[in-house]
Amino acid sequence: QVQLVESGGGSVQAGGSLRLTCTAPGGTFNYLPKGWFRQAPGKEVEFVAHISRSGGTTYYADSVEGRFTISRDDPKNTVYLQMNSLKPEDTARYLCAASIAAIRPTREDSYDYWGQGTQVTVSS
């Protein structure tokens, strides 16, 4: 069953921007801490960004620090990943995840619910 739904992926030139959106059908996971991960073909799932349930704390992978911004829009029960200055190495399927308990935010095994992902392709 689909737990979370990502949208906003697509193809973009290097240096461009995309904004990814994460929602849950019926708003099931509205109040949970959320993370973004990505997975390129043949590679392991990689941590990208995390946001606390209130939005007051964020954490980013070194590879995206300063370029990506994770945010929450609680009235819309939505989590975003604004991606600027995109690089070809950002090409991957991006997945949204939610965690119930306190987590190690960089580890995928700390998350309980996942979406199927949205593809981001960055060309040079």
Side-chain angles (χ1 to χ4, degrees):
Q1 182 181 8
V2 174
Q3 299 171 322
L4 299 166
V5 178
E6 304 91 342
S7 62
S11 298
V12 65
Q13 297 284 342
S17 298
L18 288 171
R19 188 181 73 167
L20 306 184
T21 299
C22 175
T23 61
T28 307
F29 307 107
N30 294 352
Y31 301 104
L32 300 182
K34 302 286 180 58
W36 285 97
F37 293 77
R38 64 188 182 186
Q39 185 172 217
K43 301 194 69 176
E44 296 181 348
V45 175
E46 177 187 17
F47 170 76
V48 176
H50 168 88
I51 189 165
S52 64
R53 63 185 298 171
S54 69
T57 302
T58 58
Y59 188 85
Y60 298 94
D62 290 344
S63 59
V64 306
E65 181 73 46
R67 299 188 298 118
F68 291 11
T69 302
I70 188 170
S71 61
R72 303 183 76 118
D73 185 346
D74 288 330
K76 297 182 179 179
N77 302 316
T78 302
V79 174
Y80 302 99
L81 184 68
Q82 179 66 48
M83 305 184 295
N84 298 326
S85 301
L86 282 162
K87 305 174 180 179
E89 51 263 45
D90 295 318
T91 295
R93 176 164 290 273
Y94 283 72
L95 304 102
C96 183
S99 178
I100 297 174
I103 61 169
R104 297 173 61 186
T106 65
R107 292 185 59 89
E108 64 269 24
D109 60 6
S110 293
Y111 293 79
D112 302 288
Y113 308 104
W114 292 82
Q116 292 185 323
T118 184
Q119 181 67 36
V120 171
T121 301
V122 184
S123 61
S124 60

